[in-house]
Amino acid sequence: MSAARALARLALALLLSIGAPQALAQAPSRVEAGARATTAVRLGTLAERIAKLHAQVGQGVLAERSRRALSAAIRDFDATLRSLLSAAPSAEIRDNYVLLTLLWNDYREWAQKPPTRENARKLRERNEEVAWIAAKGARMIQEHSRAATNASALRAAGAALLSQRIAKLYLWRRWEMRDEALARELREAEENLRRTLDTLLVARDNTPEIAAELQVAENQLRFMADAARGFEARQAAPRHLEFIVKTGYHILEALERATRLYQGAAS
């Protein structure tokens, strides 16, 4: 466990020792429970997107648009985290989101600092903490609401997260973060996105509308792979990096639409 996580856990223990827990949310409907599970995954997507946009601004990749999007993503994370905390279906899940709130406060401060290479390295440490706790919360909520959760919706939400993680990692590589841990994370993210999309493309619950969104994601993933090969072969050319960023965003949009469609079809 890292020092940051240990300190956050200590702060959580102190917080819970001096205040009685808030009342837990009442049992939601099946539709609400399913939506909560995908929302929990989306919180991790926002954590990845914030780090990605921070690097985009620092490297001048669609800089002005990225600056506006970064502010919007920070506000979105704030609101989504508050929603998940207030609707926590168990004390254990609530405690997890209290801990995430503490980590997020520090993460948000670093995400709003000037996007330099050195600040990005500091943000990376906090990104790992926030992403880890957000993923833990998503798993806990999925377990709690398993009967109400649409598997395809969850897969689509998870693939959307990976689209942002991949683009983030290429941006960090351009900032010379080329250690083995980052290389392994990038390799696993690319493999998992390809595998998840392949599973979704043949899912039995695909409607024509969902199939169209998945085809958009499939096409964009091919463009992203081409841009990634160009990025590696041509020593991180800015043009290829911009293509990775753009295709990652198009994949995100298509898969978030597919997630909503899967949820609507299951309701």
Side-chain angles (χ1 to χ4, degrees):
M1 181 183 298
S2 71
R5 191 178 301 159
L7 287 172
R9 289 191 181 279
L10 176 60
L12 172 63
L14 290 172
L15 179 63
L16 296 179
S17 70
I18 62 176
Q22 299 174 353
L24 297 175
Q26 295 183 354
S29 68
R30 179 183 176 86
V31 173
E32 290 171 336
R36 180 185 295 164
T38 54
T39 297
V41 177
R42 184 171 178 273
L43 194 64
T45 304
L46 287 167
E48 301 291 2
R49 181 163 170 75
I50 286 166
K52 178 183 75 75
L53 289 166
H54 180 267
Q56 284 178 218
V57 175
Q59 297 182 31
V61 179
L62 307 172
E64 188 55 40
R65 187 189 310 176
S66 300
R67 191 173 290 107
R68 293 194 300 270
L70 176 58
S71 296
I74 289 172
R75 291 193 299 271
D76 198 351
F77 193 104
D78 268 325
T80 304
L81 178 54
R82 284 196 303 269
S83 173
L84 287 167
L85 180 58
S86 66
S90 73
E92 184 181 13
I93 293 172
R94 176 187 177 274
D95 289 351
N96 186 78
Y97 284 112
V98 171
L99 172 57
L100 182 56
T101 299
L102 296 170
L103 292 170
W104 163 243
N105 289 336
D106 184 46
Y107 186 58
R108 179 176 52 206
E109 287 186 16
W110 279 95
Q112 293 173 319
K113 289 181 183 291
T116 63
R117 182 177 306 190
E118 185 56 34
N119 283 345
R121 293 180 185 276
K122 299 291 181 61
L123 186 66
R124 177 185 176 183
E125 299 170 9
R126 290 153 179 84
N127 174 257
E128 291 172 355
E129 298 289 343
V130 168
W132 192 86
I133 298 298
K136 179 182 177 183
R139 289 193 301 271
M140 294 167 74
I141 287 178
Q142 290 167 31
E143 181 65 26
H144 191 274
S145 58
R146 176 176 294 176
T149 302
N150 180 284
S152 294
L154 279 177
R155 289 191 183 98
L161 184 155
L162 293 172
S163 73
Q164 299 303 281
R165 178 174 293 167
I166 290 167
K168 175 200 73 176
L169 293 170
Y170 276 108
L171 285 156
W172 281 355
R173 281 173 67 82
R174 192 182 182 206
W175 260 339
E176 299 306 322
M177 298 186 205
R178 292 179 175 267
D179 53 88
E180 178 53 36
L182 189 146
R184 182 174 60 253
E185 185 180 5
L186 177 57
R187 183 170 60 252
E188 290 175 354
E190 290 177 327
E191 291 173 355
N192 287 335
L193 179 53
R194 177 69 272 167
R195 186 180 305 115
T196 303
L197 190 53
D198 285 344
T199 300
L200 288 170
L201 285 166
V202 297
R204 293 183 178 180
D205 49 349
N206 287 351
T207 63
E209 293 80 7
I210 291 172
E213 297 296 349
L214 296 177
Q215 190 58 56
V216 170
E218 167 71 11
N219 294 341
Q220 292 297 315
L221 183 56
R222 291 177 181 173
F223 294 147
M224 175 185 272
D226 288 343
R229 284 190 288 271
F231 176 89
E232 297 294 355
R234 295 169 178 79
Q235 300 178 339
R239 180 170 63 91
H240 292 97
L241 188 60
E242 183 173 322
F243 287 164
I244 292 171
V245 166
K246 286 181 175 179
T247 54
Y249 180 68
H250 294 321
I251 294 168
L252 170 70
E253 283 195 315
L255 290 173
E256 287 191 333
R257 289 192 295 266
T259 300
R260 292 191 293 270
L261 289 166
Y262 279 125
Q263 289 173 328
S267 63

